[in-house]
Amino acid sequence: MPTFLSVLAIPIVAGGIIARYLFLKIAHPIIWSPISLLPGPITATFWGSNLPALFDSKRSWKVHEIFLEKYGRTLRVFGLAKFDQRILTMDPMAIGYILQRSQTYQKPWQSRAFISSIIGESLFSAEGTKHRCQRRIADQAFGERNLQSFLPIMFTKSSQLTEKWIASTQGAEEGETTIETAMWVQRLSLDIIAEVGLGVNLDCVKDDSNKIHKTYMEMFGVLLKKQNPLLTFLGICIPKLQPYIPTDMFMTLRRCKATVYDFGMKLIDEKRRLLAQREKCKHRDFLTLFLKANCHPDVPQDQRMSDEELLDIVNTLLSGGSETTALAITWTLHYLSLHPEVQERLREELCTVQTYSPSQVCGDDEILALFESIDSLPYLDAVIKESLRLSPSIHSTIRVAMVDDEIPLSESMVMRDGKVENVLRVKQGQWIHLPLEAVNIDKTIWGDDAWEFKPERWEALPKEVSRLPGAYSHMLSFSAGPRVCIGMRFAHMEMKIVLHQLISCLKFKPKARIIKGTLTFSKPYVEEDWKNGRPSSLPLDVSRYLPDEAACI
């Protein structure tokens, strides 16, 4: 029989555990936070947060500018509430230091869990040994020579979309029609990455009912919908509970991932069968390279990727590989539609290089020569850089310190007690926000016209730009360090080929007021659609370009 004291001990112990948790997670961070003396904004209430202002596209640029002027490049902000004190740094030296040390500063497990719930655990969310193994194989897949072998695919698919849009204008009144460009560009990018990454032709541009495309549209669309915040947070923190949480988001993600993984497993089985039959498989798609490397005799059994990990790679290639590049192309079309003088100057340059036609029979050398001609066009390069500067696919990123550390700063901090610090001291577990987009449009670095779309700036950049640690022309659009976007060169090649085809043959004008919505990615939205939770879109008025001697056929 339990005694009175033993029965009483249960709630006492439970109460003690709860009290300790509340003290360590809420009271202690507020009273004794090691970053409490950092300069930074205040909030009106205990539950006040600075995050909405930092991520809201209508306020984000201005808020970052105000914070920079008032508090300096490195400051303290509040996350979920006052007990959640985080660091925000716009200091180029600090950002470079953090991104170069990917083992010391990793993505928080909460972020990794959220990414994994969408696309599985692969290059975007993996850390440590798993990430290094996957990255080593991926580096081979994304090598320049391998990418060049896929140029015919990029040209063919881009030409298919261009012809489809030309056909739409021919049946329209006065030769001009409205096209929802974002959706079509996303289909095009999915077609390209599916063939390059998996060796399979989805034909999304021609097939409106393609199952995989519809699955990803549904998967990313559900992230826009309002969810129960408590249940969503619980599912992200404890992924194993997701099958038992009856929210629209988790049920949709589960169903969509099952569809993609069923497709992926059939693909993997077929490729394994082909690899087993042939001593030398000539397929060079990314998935085949992963499978070849995975079964190599030198790879120990315990270090080989499981089927689940391979399926995560399939998911990552299809989602991340298509979404980010599609957004980059879509934003460029948006900026060109708003700036007809830039569009016209770009078209004049593009028309000096003949566009690719499916009726042409081109050898590998001819295709490579055609791409090299496009790749060497200076104004096209400037337009792409300027678009990626203003609208990188990823608005910002977060890192957590795995150990106590001192981060060097290019500009000293004036603390709340008046002391001046030249280094940022962080404790293990400290969250640090890196606002990639804000650094890309920092007026103190890029000049007073930093918020404007001006490709001409790339002809003579301010000296301060060279301080930035980004991997792509100093910008942070593709991040930096060991975890720099592995598909940077691939995206650059695809953007140049697609834009060359489209702009050489078509003219674009704005149709609706477009704003930037930042959720998983930074996407264009018709303003009313964003307010009402409808999907991302970029409707443009499109017409055929017909010069005296047209470059396109």
Side-chain angles (χ1 to χ4, degrees), residues 52-54 56-64:
L54 292 170
D56 181 2
S57 59
K58 286 189 175 181
R59 297 181 287 164
S60 179
W61 287 13
K62 189 64 180 176
V63 168
H64 280 93

Side-chain angles (χ1 to χ4, degrees), residues 241-298:
L241 290 181
Q242 289 180 12
Y244 310 103
I245 299 177
T247 64
D248 186 33
M249 184 176 81
F250 289 126
M251 288 190 293
T252 300
L253 290 177
R254 206 159 54 245
R255 184 176 65 256
C256 290
K257 283 180 69 175
T259 299
V260 174
Y261 284 18
D262 180 62
F263 164 80
M265 199 66 246
K266 291 176 182 176
L267 197 60
I268 290 170
D269 288 341
E270 175 63 17
K271 287 186 177 295
R272 280 177 174 157
R273 186 182 64 79
L274 291 173
L275 287 170
Q277 288 178 352
R278 303 177 186 179
E279 292 184 9
K280 221 172 181 183
C281 180
K282 295 182 179 180
H283 293 196
R284 297 194 60 82
D285 61 85
F286 302 162
L287 181 58
T288 297
L289 292 178
F290 269 101
L291 288 169
K292 282 182 177 179
N294 200 45
C295 63
H296 195 278
D298 293 342

Side-chain angles (χ1 to χ4, degrees), residues 75 78 272 444:
L75 57 147
F78 294 113
R272 280 177 174 157
T444 65

Side-chain angles (χ1 to χ4, degrees), residues 34 97 101 104-105 400-407 424-430 432:
Y97 180 90
R101 290 158 177 78
T104 304
Y105 296 94
V400 60
M402 306 307 292
V403 296
D404 295 355
D405 196 16
E406 292 187 357
I407 301 173
L424 173 63
R425 295 177 178 84
V426 296
K427 293 289 186 181
Q428 180 182 1
Q430 178 63 59
I432 307 172

